[in-house]
Amino acid sequence: APSLTRISFPVLLLAYFQLSRLVVVVVGGSPRPRSARRRLAPNQSIHRYLREENEAGNMQPRLTVSAMKVDDADDDDDYEIDLVQATAAVNSKTTYSIGHLGVKLPIGDLRVKFLVQDRSPLVEDEGIAHMNKGAKPTPTTFALISVDEDTETVNGIAKKQNGKAMNIQQLIGSTAFAALADDFVPQKDFACQVTDEPRGRRIMDDEGLVNE
């Protein structure tokens, strides 16, 4: 009778892990690299994409948001900006104190995510981005966009190189729009001061009134 070859447990364990990796590659395919950027059409939900990426373990997804222009009838191209989900400095673990009581209270879950401009070089773009007649995409120089987790509303502002600031908005189940933002005109004689009171430092306006 043919003899059976003994295989040690470590060898079996190693073979099991190698087989598991093979099954993942065959069934699921290679995972999308973290550096890949996803392009979202104006009718695709920004909130849904961030939720799906976060649930998959990617807390800093990169994306190109395409929004329909509403103020430029002569330009049919969508307004495209490169964004990345930012790590919030204030989160559910952040605490604050009231006056001189010294009691630290949790800030709680803000239920909002933030997107900022993405300037990182990417090796791979997922999908087809920047189809503007083969022209080189204009860099996004500034962007700050909030995504409300409860209402799924997207609001923010973005600016591209040599361009004007644009308001970005997407309501739940709606298309993403980009509209020209109002120019910021600072007050002629603007001043900001503070005053010391028993309850702490407060902002004082130009007429010496304390703002609550």
Side-chain angles (χ1 to χ4, degrees):
S3 59
L4 297 177
T5 303
R6 291 180 175 271
I7 303 178
S8 62
F9 177 75
V11 174
L12 284 175
L13 188 61
L14 178 61
Y16 169 77
F17 282 118
Q18 293 293 339
L19 181 60
S20 299
R21 293 176 59 187
L22 179 61
V23 171
V24 170
V25 172
V26 172
V27 176
S30 58
R32 183 170 70 248
R34 291 293 179 88
S35 61
R37 179 187 286 128
R38 170 77 179 274
R39 180 184 183 274
L40 297 183
N43 62 342
Q44 292 181 290
S45 171
I46 300 172
H47 170 270
R48 183 182 299 114
Y49 171 70
L50 294 182
R51 183 191 64 197
E52 293 174 350
E53 288 295 307
N54 291 168
E55 289 177 352
N58 184 9
M59 305 308 295
Q60 289 185 309
R62 292 177 164 83
L63 63 157
T64 295
V65 169
S66 183
M68 293 182 59
K69 296 179 182 177
V70 297
D71 293 328
D72 196 345
D74 297 330
D75 189 354
D76 295 332
D77 294 330
D78 293 332
Y79 187 78
E80 294 191 345
I81 47 178
D82 297 330
L83 304 171
V84 60
Q85 182 177 341
T87 301
V90 178
N91 53 42
S92 59
K93 297 181 180 179
T94 305
T95 60
Y96 69 97
S97 59
I98 301 177
H100 303 287
L101 299 179
V103 179
K104 293 184 177 180
L105 302 174
I107 203 75
D109 191 352
L110 300 178
R111 303 291 297 165
V112 64
K113 299 173 183 177
F114 292 98
L115 298 171
V116 296
Q117 69 276 13
D118 183 16
R119 300 176 181 174
S120 60
L122 298 181
V123 178
E124 175 184 350
D125 276 8
E126 181 178 312
I128 302 175
H130 310 297
M131 298 179 62
N132 298 338
K133 305 174 184 178
K136 184 177 180 180
T138 304
T140 303
T141 57
F142 172 81
L144 180 58
I145 298 173
S146 65
V147 182
D148 192 296
E149 295 189 47
D150 296 323
T151 64
E152 302 185 18
T153 301
V154 178
N155 281 295
I157 190 169
K159 186 180 183 301
K160 302 175 75 170
Q161 185 176 357
N162 301 324
K164 296 182 178 180
M166 303 286 284
N167 287 326
I168 308 297
Q169 184 181 69
Q170 185 182 50
L171 303 179
I172 181 173
S174 179
T175 300
F177 291 98
L180 286 173
D182 295 333
D183 293 333
F184 173 70
V185 181
Q187 297 180 9
K188 183 178 180 180
D189 298 320
F190 178 79
C192 182
Q193 301 175 353
V194 295
T195 180
D196 289 319
E197 289 194 354
R199 290 185 292 175
R201 293 165 63 86
R202 296 185 172 188
I203 296 177
M204 183 171 57
D205 62 17
D206 294 339
E207 298 179 359
L209 300 177
V210 177
N211 296 322
E212 295 292 338

